[in-house]
Amino acid sequence: MSKFEKIFVEITNFCGLSCKFCTPKKSNDKMPLLLFEKICNDIYPHTKLCALHILGDPLSLDNIEEYIKIAKNKNLNLEITSSGFYLDTHTQNILLKYNNIKQINISLTSAIYQNKDINLDSYFQNIFSLCAKHKELKSETFINLRLWNLDSNFKAPDINQTIYKILEEHFKIRIHNHKTKLSYKIHLIQKSFFSWEFKDKEQLHGKCYGTISQLGILTSGVVVPCCFCTKGEINLGDIGKNSLLDIINNQKTQKIKQGFLNNLRVESICQKCSYPNYISNVKNA
């Protein structure tokens, strides 16, 4: 039986932002709760972790707690990725209430690559409030503040200095490397910048995590190889109509998987994707 490190489930593709590095937005779709419940049932035997993200910000949903409850009832661990713009008292309390939420990722990169300038002091106010409650509750959930905008030599742009100053003053700690422990189970994670782009020139060789250690499921229930296949160009099957096991074992999925295992990109969109090159550069750094 296939085991995936992580399966991405897009419960919404709405985020309300205009990040310069992101893929063009889709319509404002939301996954029905009944479909999400079926997905949780299907993926539980196949993965250690469900990440509530492909496009969109799960915290933008008024009923986010209902999705979390369903996952908890199915004994499914969650990872939640947010821009941080929808953190308020209500969502902070929800995130720290459920022990099946193993990791909270907050994309600080989202705040500094908007078309309009963001008041960073105001932006960080709710993030620091979440961290304070995390400490008070002695929570075992990881909080990762992501700053993924280093260059190919892992050098930080000047804009990061403002972020570093805010974090250093609040946590009374020096930012000194790519992963800095800010507090108990709270970290600043820095990585090189990845822009959501597809090249005109095709590359036949390359490895990826899609279909091997990761899968994605869009709001419609369409299963895709990875979280970059945001429009469902590589449709592996509809989990609303078929079981995940059948989708994993079908000819198309297996062909893509065997291709990556043999350093081959089978699908045309994979041949144009820059992510295999990105992960190769990260490993060789």
Side-chain angles (χ1 to χ4, degrees), residues 125-233:
Q125 184 175 349
N126 282 319
I127 294 175
F128 290 156
S129 177
L130 174 70
C131 293
K133 291 176 182 178
H134 179 278
K135 182 178 181 179
E136 181 182 349
L137 294 171
K138 299 180 180 179
S139 173
E140 293 298 315
T141 299
F142 281 98
I143 297 178
N144 287 340
L145 307 184
R146 292 179 171 180
L147 199 51
W148 291 5
N149 65 342
L150 307 184
D151 66 16
S152 57
N153 295 315
F154 300 96
K155 182 180 178 181
D158 292 341
I159 186 65
N160 285 20
Q161 298 305 318
T162 303
I163 301 289
Y164 298 158
K165 183 179 180 181
I166 292 172
L167 293 175
E168 288 176 346
E169 288 181 353
H170 181 82
F171 289 103
K172 310 302 181 186
I173 195 167
R174 182 73 176 168
I175 306 299
H176 56 83
N177 56 25
H178 297 161
K179 180 178 180 179
T180 302
K181 182 178 179 181
L182 303 172
S183 187
Y184 179 69
K185 291 203 170 183
I186 301 175
H187 296 88
L188 172 67
I189 307 293
Q190 300 187 77
K191 289 186 179 182
S192 57
F193 190 85
F194 175 76
S195 60
W196 219 304
E197 61 178 337
F198 292 94
K199 301 181 181 297
D200 294 330
K201 185 178 180 181
E202 296 181 348
Q203 287 186 263
L204 297 178
H205 298 284
K207 294 184 178 181
C208 196
Y209 303 129
T211 69
I212 296 175
S213 61
Q214 297 180 3
L215 280 177
I217 304 175
L218 304 179
T219 54
S220 62
V222 168
V223 179
V224 292
C226 69
C227 61
F228 295 116
C229 190
T230 60
K231 298 179 182 178
E233 297 96 330

Side-chain angles (χ1 to χ4, degrees), residues 2-230:
S2 297
K3 289 287 185 180
F4 297 92
E5 288 295 320
K6 185 185 300 186
I7 293 181
F8 294 86
V9 179
E10 180 187 67
I11 57 175
T12 179
N13 55 31
F14 173 80
C15 76
L17 302 177
S18 297
C19 298
K20 297 175 183 178
F21 55 82
C22 193
T23 186
K25 292 175 177 53
K26 299 188 294 183
S27 56
N28 183 5
D29 298 322
K30 176 180 174 181
M31 179 177 285
L33 288 169
L34 284 176
L35 176 58
F36 182 69
E37 185 171 11
K38 180 187 186 299
I39 288 170
C40 289
N41 273 326
D42 267 24
I43 70 176
Y44 175 73
H46 299 282
T47 187
K48 301 175 182 178
L49 190 63
C50 170
L52 298 184
H53 180 67
I54 290 183
L55 288 184
D57 191 326
L59 298 187
S60 69
L61 294 176
D62 291 337
N63 64 336
I64 178 62
E65 189 170 10
E66 294 184 55
Y67 292 88
I68 297 170
K69 285 180 179 178
I70 289 172
K72 182 173 175 58
N73 289 338
K74 304 300 179 182
N75 297 312
L76 190 62
N77 291 331
L78 296 177
E79 175 181 306
I80 294 181
T81 298
S82 171
S83 64
F85 284 93
Y86 296 96
L87 274 177
D88 55 22
T89 301
H90 178 63
T91 54
Q92 291 167 30
N93 291 337
I94 289 174
L95 289 176
L96 297 175
K97 179 179 178 180
Y98 295 91
N99 60 9
N100 65 317
I101 300 177
K102 299 302 179 181
Q103 186 165 301
I104 303 164
N105 303 315
I106 300 175
S107 174
L108 305 184
T109 320
S110 302
I112 56 179
Y113 288 95
Q114 295 300 310
N115 292 324
K116 296 181 180 180
D117 290 338
I118 300 297
N119 184 318
L120 290 177
D121 289 331
S122 176
Y123 170 74
F124 272 102
Q125 184 175 349
N126 282 319
I127 294 175
F128 290 156
S129 177
L130 174 70
C131 293
K133 291 176 182 178
H134 179 278
K135 182 178 181 179
E136 181 182 349
L137 294 171
K138 299 180 180 179
S139 173
E140 293 298 315
T141 299
F142 281 98
I143 297 178
N144 287 340
L145 307 184
R146 292 179 171 180
L147 199 51
W148 291 5
N149 65 342
L150 307 184
D151 66 16
S152 57
N153 295 315
F154 300 96
K155 182 180 178 181
D158 292 341
I159 186 65
N160 285 20
Q161 298 305 318
T162 303
I163 301 289
Y164 298 158
K165 183 179 180 181
I166 292 172
L167 293 175
E168 288 176 346
E169 288 181 353
H170 181 82
F171 289 103
K172 310 302 181 186
I173 195 167
R174 182 73 176 168
I175 306 299
H176 56 83
N177 56 25
H178 297 161
K179 180 178 180 179
T180 302
K181 182 178 179 181
L182 303 172
S183 187
Y184 179 69
K185 291 203 170 183
I186 301 175
H187 296 88
L188 172 67
I189 307 293
Q190 300 187 77
K191 289 186 179 182
S192 57
F193 190 85
F194 175 76
S195 60
W196 219 304
E197 61 178 337
F198 292 94
K199 301 181 181 297
D200 294 330
K201 185 178 180 181
E202 296 181 348
Q203 287 186 263
L204 297 178
H205 298 284
K207 294 184 178 181
C208 196
Y209 303 129
T211 69
I212 296 175
S213 61
Q214 297 180 3
L215 280 177
I217 304 175
L218 304 179
T219 54
S220 62
V222 168
V223 179
V224 292
C226 69
C227 61
F228 295 116
C229 190
T230 60

